[in-house]
Amino acid sequence: MNRRPTVSLDHPEEWIVFLRVVVGLYFVKALWTKLSFALVGGFVPVLVTQERWIDTMPKIVARQASENPILWYKGFLENTVLTHPALFAHLTAWGETAVGLGLVLGLLNGLAAATGMLMVAGYGLATQWMSPGQRGFHIVLFAVMVVFFFARAGRRWGLDAVIATRKPDSMLAGRPWS
């Protein structure tokens, strides 16, 4: 008799780690697409937001705001984000990088996931009207961030596990309800 192989879910937390790292890499790509190195004093390399991103971001936001049916969010994009484009270009570049590094390394995972939720919610509100694909992508990404937050996914194969081992009472390593 032919037996079908069974799929084992003996270690679901390890599959969450896989998902955490993949999503983290998606966010950490901001290191290459939105940040670059500049030399301070001609020889000290530091990460800075790319001028290209500072110039491009307002064009993207203007397109997202143009026909956005959520009037309060359209107002936020037009009256806050577009009036301070350099600030929001820096915030998105550094925010995406921080979320990505936090998820990939499993470091301060709760904070990284919460920040990711805020960013994804904002991006979703900006683009939800553009296509069902945009809406679905951001809903799924938001849901994944919720799982990372409540599961404290960094406590498995992440630096949060080191924090939890060395300082078990640390609020950085604990679950939000404990």
Side-chain angles (χ1 to χ4, degrees):
M1 192 177 238
N2 288 338
R3 295 187 67 152
R4 299 174 101 181
T6 58
V7 175
S8 172
L9 291 177
D10 292 342
H11 304 285
E13 63 276 0
E14 293 171 5
W15 289 106
I16 292 175
V17 170
F18 173 75
L19 186 59
R20 185 194 84 211
V21 170
V22 169
V23 171
L25 290 172
Y26 173 79
F27 275 90
V28 87
K29 77 181 180 340
L31 275 169
W32 295 272
T33 60
K34 297 175 180 150
L35 298 174
S36 62
F37 283 101
L39 296 177
V40 174
F43 62 92
V44 178
V46 294
L47 275 173
V48 296
T49 306
Q50 293 178 3
E51 288 298 322
R52 181 193 60 77
W53 176 240
I54 294 171
D55 293 339
T56 303
M57 196 272 310
K59 296 172 190 163
I60 294 169
V61 172
R63 187 174 57 239
Q64 292 169 340
S66 67
E67 297 178 42
N68 197 318
I70 303 172
L71 297 180
W72 67 269
Y73 201 74
K74 178 179 181 168
F76 168 73
L77 293 174
E78 292 175 341
N79 301 320
T80 304
V81 177
L82 290 175
T83 58
H84 303 92
L87 171 65
F88 281 90
H90 290 294
L91 287 173
T92 57
W94 287 99
E96 288 177 18
T97 300
V99 167
L101 289 173
L103 293 177
V104 168
L105 299 173
L107 177 62
L108 304 177
N109 190 90
L111 180 61
T115 303
M117 279 188 267
L118 289 173
M119 295 184 81
V120 168
Y123 296 165
L125 288 169
T127 61
Q128 56 75 35
W129 67 273
M130 298 175 107
S131 78
Q134 288 288 342
R135 192 171 29 256
F137 172 74
H138 290 100
I139 288 170
V140 169
L141 195 53
F142 185 87
V144 166
M145 291 292 181
V146 169
V147 170
F148 295 159
F149 180 81
F150 284 106
R152 285 299 197 253
R155 292 184 74 168
R156 180 67 166 195
W157 293 351
L159 294 176
D160 283 352
V162 175
I163 294 170
T165 301
R166 293 187 180 166
K167 297 188 183 236
D169 296 331
S170 169
M171 79 175 205
L172 297 175
R175 297 202 189 290
W177 55 85
S178 60

